């Protein structure tokens, strides 16, 4: 008997469903409802949709994201299925429909009390890419029907288009949220612009519009050359581009031209953002307006004297030091009660930077050349640490000896904070404040080198939360996020000052421990973490009970490179899970015949 008419109606209904502006999971569930209304699929109305995912080691898996009428055992055992495992995993691996009339040897996921049934497993494909698998239950003994399979292949074609569209929308929304957060952070501090790899402006904040006289509409899409005043040689820009295209940060100054033809100066830091291959895909420029300072410098050169704003002068013959009012303000010193002196200046420099400043000044005197440095000071009035940019030039006697030093000081704290914020955004997990995966791998290499040099043991702890998914399912992602933040607090509390704690993604965390003992430190911390996390945690009025499984690998015992230690810590984590969860396992080589 042909089902052509009702199949066509169902297919039409699918197109209407996927066109609705609803979340992915809701859309996929509605598609299952529409298909289960078909007479030939309603005989055993159970179905599910898996989407392709990867586990911690990068191995492809299938994640159950939508289902109808599946029992609790199936929901638990089939939440994540490896490619090649059971019928749906075979459909993903072979990229071909998989049919079963009964529970044969291919039906690897089973349990006591499971009812006899058959299956249609149809891979959801986009070209060669496997997006997921559509699974329908059939009454046991149901015969294979090519027309039914052809119809389901049509259906997954519609689902593939919808899944790809939703994925692109999610990626776009995530990027928009990230850019919005960066914008709010950076706009509070400085002049900010973002350009693509060709130098075309893709973002300009209000401060750039204010200083340049251009509106955002006039700047966006334009090359940065729109601001070029012609005040720098071509080689200046060539050196700049050579620096940033190689992935390095560039610091320097620009004399730009505003819309009305006026010149203005900025001190800029250009930070390249790199893609996964290590190549820049955009450049973020954080700048400070230094036009007034440049005008003062111009007056200094012309009049061979120092302006009285943010400046100092030291007579090396008499030892007399003069500060302008701005210097007193920057250093937090009351000029009525504290005179200018070399000791007073040195006393304001941050202790960690004192040798650096002294060396640069003495080298400058010996070489009779200007110096240009950035360093920290500690304000005398409130103890606040500030960043300053200090320049100095020297005047020489007829015999060529330095007789006077003139300098300017600029408070660049806001620019430094903006640079640090850019770095923090790139290296920190936004939800928990822990190191992210990028920072974790960078610090891992540093710790391996240190361990080899100092002959220390390095322990890697892989931590995976037990029973976390039901928290999201029962209480929502807001509660799940709050729980992850509490776990991050526990991990931070249990670590030592030198330990690195990172969130690798989802409910996966990692800790790096340096110690003189091979395993004791790692196992002690692991035991404390498990004991703390297994205690009931109150989130939004809910008492939540989870656990933690931890895999431990150490260097040099289990290897001396990242890939090997990560693999073995992940294996140990699997062993902990396999042994019953909520425990730690130190890596041990699997016995023959074990996976």
């Amino acid at each position: 008997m042909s089902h052509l008419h009702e199949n066509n109606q169902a297919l039409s209904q699918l197109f209407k469903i996927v066109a609705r502006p609803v979340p992915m999971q809701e859309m996929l569930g509605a598609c299952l409802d529409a298909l289960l209304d078909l007479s030939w699929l309603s005989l055993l109305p159970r179905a599910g949709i898996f989407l392709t995912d990867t586990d911690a080691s990068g191995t492809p898996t299938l994640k159950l994201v939508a289902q109808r009428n599946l029992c609790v055992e199936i929901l638990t055992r089939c939440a994540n299925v490896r490619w090649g495992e059971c019928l749906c995993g075979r459909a993903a691996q072979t990229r071909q429909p998989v049919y079963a009339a009964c529970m044969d040897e291919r039906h690897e996921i089973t349990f006591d009390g499971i009812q006899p049934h058959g299956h249609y497993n149809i891979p959801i494909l986009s070209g060669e890419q496997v997006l997921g698998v559509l699974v329908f239950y059939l009454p046991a003994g149901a015969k294979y029907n090519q027309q039914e399979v052809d119809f389901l292949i049509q259906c997954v074609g519609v689902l593939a288009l919808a899944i790809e569209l939703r994925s692109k929308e999610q990626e776009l929304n995530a990027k928009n949220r990230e850019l919005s957060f960066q914008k709010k952070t950076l706009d509070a501090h400085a002049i900010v612009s973002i350009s693509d790899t060709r130098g075309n402006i893709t973002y300009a904040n209000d401060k750039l519009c204010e200083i340049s006289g251009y509106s955002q509409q006039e700047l966006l899409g334009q090359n940065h050359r729109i601001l070029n005043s012609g005040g720098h040689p071509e080689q200046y820009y060539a050196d700049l581009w050579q620096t940033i295209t190689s992935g390095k940060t560039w610091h320097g100054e620009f004399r730009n031209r505003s819309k009305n033809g006026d010149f203005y100066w900025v001190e800029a830091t250009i930070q390249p953002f790199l893609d996964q291959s290590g190549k820049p895909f955009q450049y973020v420029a954080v700048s400070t307006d230094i036009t007034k300072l440049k005008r003062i410098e111009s007056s200094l050169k012309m009049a061979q004297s120092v302006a009285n704003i943010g400046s100092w002068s030291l007579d090396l013959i008499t030892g007399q030091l003069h500060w302008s009012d701005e210097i007193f303000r920057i250093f937090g010193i009351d000029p009525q009660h504290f005179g200018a002196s070399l000791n007073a200046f040195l006393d304001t420099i941050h202790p960690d930077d004192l040798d650096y400043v002294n060396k640069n000044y003495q080298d400058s005197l010996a070489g009779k050349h200007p110096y240009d440095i950035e360093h920290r000071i500690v304000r005398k009035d409130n103890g606040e640490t500030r960043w300053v940019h200090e320049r100095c030039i020297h005047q020489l006697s007829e015999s060529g000896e330095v007789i006077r030093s003139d300098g300017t000081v600029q408070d660049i704290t806001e620019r430094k904070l903006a640079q640090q914020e850019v770095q923090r955004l790139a290296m920190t997990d936004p939800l928990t404040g822990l190191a992210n995966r990028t920072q974790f791998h960078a610090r891992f290499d540093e710790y391996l080198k240190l361990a080899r040099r100092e002959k220390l043991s390095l322990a890697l702890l892989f931590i995976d939360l037990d029973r976390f998914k039901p928290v999201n399912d029962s209480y929502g992602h807001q509660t799940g996020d709050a729980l992850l933040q509490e776990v991050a607090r526990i991990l931070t509390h249990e670590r030592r000052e030198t330990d690195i704690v990172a969130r690798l993604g989802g409910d996966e965390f990692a800790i790096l421990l340096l110690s003189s003992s091979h395993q004791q430190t790692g196992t002690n911390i692991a035991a404390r973490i498990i004991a703390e996390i297994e205690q009931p945690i109150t989130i939004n009025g809910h008492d939540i009970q989870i656990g933690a499984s931890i895999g431990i690998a150490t260097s040099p015992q289990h290897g001396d490179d990242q890939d090997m230690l990560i693999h073995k810590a992940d294996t140990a984590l699997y062993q902990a899970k396999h042994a019953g969860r909520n425990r730690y396992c130190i890596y041990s080589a699997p016995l023959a015949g074990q996976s």
Side-chain angles (χ1 to χ4, degrees), residues 506-517:
D507 60 346
E508 299 171 355
F509 299 81
I511 301 180
L512 290 172
L513 310 163
L514 274 174
S515 67
S516 57
S517 63

Side-chain angles (χ1 to χ4, degrees), residues 5 19 55 180 218 261 316 398 450 522 526:
H5 179 67
D55 61 17
S180 177
E218 291 173 314
L316 296 178
E398 292 182 356
L450 179 61

